[in-house]
Structures are given as C-alpha cells and as structure tokens.
Amino acid sequence: MLSQLSSTQAGRIAARAAGGGRITPQEALTLWREAPLALLGTVADGLKRARSGDAVYYNRNFHIEPTNVCLFRCRFCSYRREEGEPGAWNLSLGQIEETARRYRDSAVTEVHIVGGVHPGHDLEFYGEMIRRVKGILPHVTVKAFTAIELAYMIEKAGLGYSEGLRILKEAGMKAIPGGGAEIFDEQVRRRICPEKGTTRQWLDMHEAAHGLGISTNATMLYGHVEQVEHRIDHLERLRQVQDRTGGFNAFIPLKFRSAGNPMEGCGEVPVTEDLRTLAMSRIYLDNFPHIKAYWPMYGKVTTEMALSFGADDIDGTIEDTTKIYSMAGAEEQNPAMTVADIEKLVTAAGYRAVERDTFYNQVAG
C-alpha cells in the first residue's frame, strides 16, 4: 500500500514515518486529513510491531475512586457531583481500606487511584491513603492521582511540585496516571474546563515526576470542540517533554463520551475517527513506547479493532471498579474482564496477550 501511494504527499509522509522518520506538525496535519484510514493502520501497525512485536499488554488491576465531589465544573464531565447531591460519594480512609482488603488474596499488581478534587482533602490525607493501601497490599504498585489533583494538594500544602511528589513517593506512590490533560490548547481549555488546572501545571507536574524517577502516562481528550490542529499541538507538546525526560510509559487517547454532561450536544465522533486518532498517535509519538486503547472507554469491539491501528496495550481487568466512563454513557457499564476474556480478545485480533506490571515488565505466568 505504501508503494502504491508514494506518488501522493500523504503517501510520501507515511512511507518516511513507516521507516522510522519523525514527522512535523504540518506533515501530521496532511496525514490526518488526507491519508486513507487503511494506510494509517498499516503504518501504525508496522511501528507497533517494530517496538513490541505481536505482544499486546494488559495487567491485573483495580481502581479506587475516593470521591466524585470536585471543586471544578468541567463541561465535559459526567462524573462530578456537589457535596450532598444524589450520586455523590466521598470515601473515608476506613472505606478505602475495606476496598483494598478485597484484593488481599488476588493476583492484582496495580491499584489506580483517581477522583475529584475535593476541597476538604489535602496532601496529608492522600499520603495516609497511600500508606494504608500499601499496608494491606504491599506487593501492589500504587499509581495515583492526576496532575490536576496533585497540583491542588501540593500547592495547598505550600510546597513545590518535586517536594510534594517526594512525600507521596515516600508514602508508596510509584507511578502517576495521565488524566487531566484534556486538550493543551489554552483557548479550547477555557471553553471546556475554564476552572481546571492549567496546561503548564500538567506538564510541569509530569516533568517533576520524571525527575524523581516516577514514571507517568499521558492522555488526550478528543472528539468534542477541538480541531485536528489542537490534537497535533497536544501530541507535539508531549513529544517535546518525552524528548527531554523519557519518563512517559504510555499515551492514552480518551474519547469524549457525551451522556449526562453540559457538552452532550457535541455528540460523539465515529469509530473511524477513534482508529485514525490511535494510528496518528502511534505515528507522531515516535518516542512513546506504548499506545493504550483503554477498553472501558472504547468498548471491547472497538478495542479489538484498535490493536490493528497501533495500540499495544488495552489496560487491565478493572474488576468493575471505575465509574468515570460508565457515568458518561460508555457501553461498558460494569467494566470487568477476566484474564481469559482479555486473552480471547487479543488472540481474535491476531496478537499475543502478555501480562505486565505497571512498568511493562512481563509478569511470569
């Protein structure tokens, strides 16, 4: 296919990317707008196979979502509630311990902790939360708190980012998820989440984490009011950070789901745009080792297709412990997959399922 299209500008760009060449933002725009989806899939799958062969990674994980009470009123969010509003929750440390105890005899290797930015919680509270979870599950990696949550608790404590992160690292936090990035373009951000932490805060927090040896992920929320140019700008800013630090493990494109939020009139982009976004993420982020198709968001059918468009990770078993996307109308209303389910999905797509830990070390079977 690459040879057939080498006479077109998009084909020439795709051929160079397939050979490992770095593309510019303008070239990415040409590919995004002009390249056939099948061509992008071919290039992205080749780049994925060059990095990880036929492996598709997953882990055994569960989520703790301490609260959905949040200071911020992001227009795309279906998760947030006011204190005392129906559907609101705010778990005590004792309740969080109860959740952790349910996995004491399981094979999980990671707990993912994110939630709303609760005005009553501080750095001490979250540090104690991590210590209690690690006390019950000492073998489990704690991957916790978006950069926005971290910025609030650390700034509230009057500390610099590195100093605050060091306190949480000493408590047992070993990795940071990628949430809160949304779209980096400041004008778009003012439209969709004007109260939320800034792009600069998000980027600075992740760079500070990388400086302390804390690995992180990155995300992008797409399919709402942004344009393709904004997505490329987002990817470019991430690629620049990764050039400097090498601290990102994975990039996760997150599809905007429209149910139950003030932006539901935007609708949702089609699956073809999901696949195009995944493929372009793999092609553009040439310094990111992994691209994740987050199955609770996409659903199992789209996730299976995503594996042919550059994704080499689908997240984990989840154990029906996250409500963020189910509350926004995702088809997976009770997200949970067994290892057998994951292996079946990956095998059906023509790949090999590999269990990993948080840091992409293979877990012995």
Side-chain angles (χ1 to χ4, degrees):
M1 178 170 288
L2 292 177
S3 61
Q4 292 173 350
L5 294 173
S6 60
S7 61
T8 69
Q9 185 180 15
R12 289 191 294 272
I13 296 168
R16 184 156 53 78
R22 173 166 284 193
I23 66 172
T24 67
Q26 186 57 47
E27 289 172 329
L29 185 61
T30 298
L31 276 186
W32 214 306
R33 287 179 170 170
E34 299 179 15
L37 181 58
L39 173 62
L40 294 181
T42 298
V43 175
D45 187 58
L47 293 171
K48 170 256 181 292
R49 289 179 183 274
R51 278 196 174 271
S52 50
D54 65 346
V56 169
Y57 297 97
Y58 72 94
N59 66 349
R60 303 187 199 222
N61 62 344
F62 72 100
H63 289 223
I64 294 175
E65 294 173 353
T67 184
N68 65 344
V69 175
C70 188
L71 276 171
F72 306 126
R73 295 172 175 82
C74 300
R75 298 188 67 244
F76 57 79
C77 184
S78 308
Y79 180 78
R80 178 192 181 276
R81 297 290 186 273
E82 294 279 357
E83 187 83 58
E85 183 181 355
W89 69 82
N90 182 25
L91 303 181
S92 67
L93 290 174
Q95 289 172 312
I96 288 168
E97 285 182 301
E98 288 176 17
T99 300
R101 287 191 192 98
R102 295 206 299 265
Y103 298 94
R104 182 176 276 162
D105 298 320
S106 74
V108 298
T109 60
E110 177 186 287
V111 54
H112 180 119
I113 307 176
V114 297
V117 179
H118 194 291
H121 294 171
D122 57 17
L123 185 65
E124 182 179 353
F125 175 85
Y126 287 114
E128 180 64 15
M129 180 188 301
I130 294 169
R131 283 188 289 271
R132 293 196 187 192
V133 170
K134 286 293 290 183
I136 296 166
L137 300 171
H139 63 289
V140 170
T141 298
V142 174
K143 182 171 73 177
F145 314 128
T146 69
I148 304 304
E149 292 173 271
L150 291 165
Y152 177 77
M153 69 178 81
I154 292 172
E155 290 174 7
K156 185 176 182 179
L159 302 175
Y161 289 171
S162 293
E163 188 177 2
L165 288 171
R166 191 173 289 110
I167 290 170
L168 295 173
K169 182 179 180 181
E170 290 171 356
M173 183 187 76
K174 300 301 182 187
I176 295 173
E182 321 315 352
I183 284 285
F184 289 149
D185 181 85
E186 287 79 1
Q187 291 186 1
V188 174
R189 206 172 181 88
R190 282 195 289 272
R191 291 178 64 187
I192 67 172
C193 52
E195 301 171 323
K196 198 168 199 167
T198 65
T199 294
R200 187 74 265 153
Q201 285 176 307
W202 193 98
L203 294 170
D204 286 351
M205 186 66 70
H206 282 262
E207 286 212 50
H210 299 169
L212 293 172
I214 300 171
S215 64
T216 76
N217 289 339
T219 62
M220 174 179 71
L221 183 70
Y222 70 91
H224 41 90
V225 302
E226 92 291 353
Q227 302 298 314
V228 169
E229 290 88 342
H230 300 133
R231 298 181 201 172
I232 294 169
D233 169 69
H234 191 101
L235 298 179
E236 172 63 17
R237 298 196 208 195
L238 290 174
R239 192 167 73 175
Q240 289 179 13
V241 173
Q242 186 75 332
D243 277 345
R244 291 194 294 272
T245 70
F248 288 116
N249 270 336
F251 174 69
I252 309 132
L254 296 174
K255 176 176 184 165
F256 168 66
R257 291 289 189 176
S258 63
N261 62 64
M263 287 173 54
E264 60 185 349
C266 294
E268 296 180 3
V269 296
V271 171
T272 51
E273 190 61 30
D274 299 331
L275 300 177
R276 186 172 291 270
T277 301
L278 282 158
M280 285 302 304
S281 299
R282 172 63 78 178
I283 292 166
Y284 199 84
L285 294 176
D286 53 23
N287 53 4
F288 271 64
H290 305 287
I291 303 294
K292 181 184 292 188
Y294 184 53
W295 74 262
M297 172 200 63
Y298 282 129
K300 296 169 188 173
V301 173
T302 300
T303 297
E304 184 176 325
M305 289 190 286
L307 300 183
S308 297
F309 286 81
D312 71 338
D313 187 280
I314 64 171
D315 203 77
T317 50
I318 303 292
E319 308 287 343
D320 191 18
T321 53
T322 178
K323 294 182 172 60
I324 293 173
Y325 268 94
S326 60
M327 290 172 71
E331 60 193 73
E332 303 293 343
Q333 286 295 296
N334 301 102
M337 276 208 283
T338 66
V339 169
D341 292 334
I342 290 172
E343 291 177 344
K344 182 179 179 181
L345 184 153
V346 172
T347 301
Y351 299 89
R352 177 173 54 92
V354 176
E355 184 178 356
R356 61 164 175 85
D357 64 12
T358 301
F359 312 104
Y360 287 87
N361 300 304
Q362 185 170 344
V363 174

